[in-house]
Amino acid sequence: MDAQFGLEDQQNINQFSKLNAQLHELDSLITVQQSNIDALEDAGNELMLVDDEEVMFTLGEGFVMTPVPDAEEKVSTASEKEEAELAALREKKQAVEEKMDHLKKVLYGKFGRENINLEE
């Protein structure tokens, strides 16, 4: 197959490369976000086991004494926020993957799989 390589092809390859870098960044952010959610879940579970009326709660770089129900509410609110951010990241990742799949079809259709490598 002797396909001509033009400006549009170069732009598609560059766009694919940028999307690939963005995909890797999103994967990293999703991993961190999931770790945050897991930590909040662990904190919520620990709060259920507390016998005291107040617990130490992180505020910035310090700690404050907080009633357990308030701490549970703060953890729950933070967990919901983190879950929403995770869902948004996953949506962005899906959109990036869809764009990459489209570019793969275009580029493989023109050059064939043996002439261009768009896999990891």
Side-chain angles (χ1 to χ4, degrees), residues 47-101:
L47 284 171
M48 287 183 213
L49 302 174
V50 171
D51 291 332
D52 300 331
E53 292 180 19
E54 292 187 324
V55 293
M56 298 288 276
F57 196 84
T58 304
L59 184 63
E61 292 185 20
F63 294 93
V64 293
M65 291 301 289
T66 305
V68 172
D70 290 350
E72 289 174 335
E73 184 179 331
K74 288 177 184 180
V75 168
S76 176
T77 301
S79 182
E80 289 170 6
K81 179 183 172 226
E82 296 291 324
E83 289 280 356
E85 289 177 12
L86 179 61
L89 288 171
R90 287 184 173 150
E91 285 178 20
K92 286 180 186 177
K93 180 180 176 181
Q94 183 178 358
V96 167
E97 288 173 333
E98 288 171 3
K99 290 176 187 174
M100 289 175 72
D101 287 343

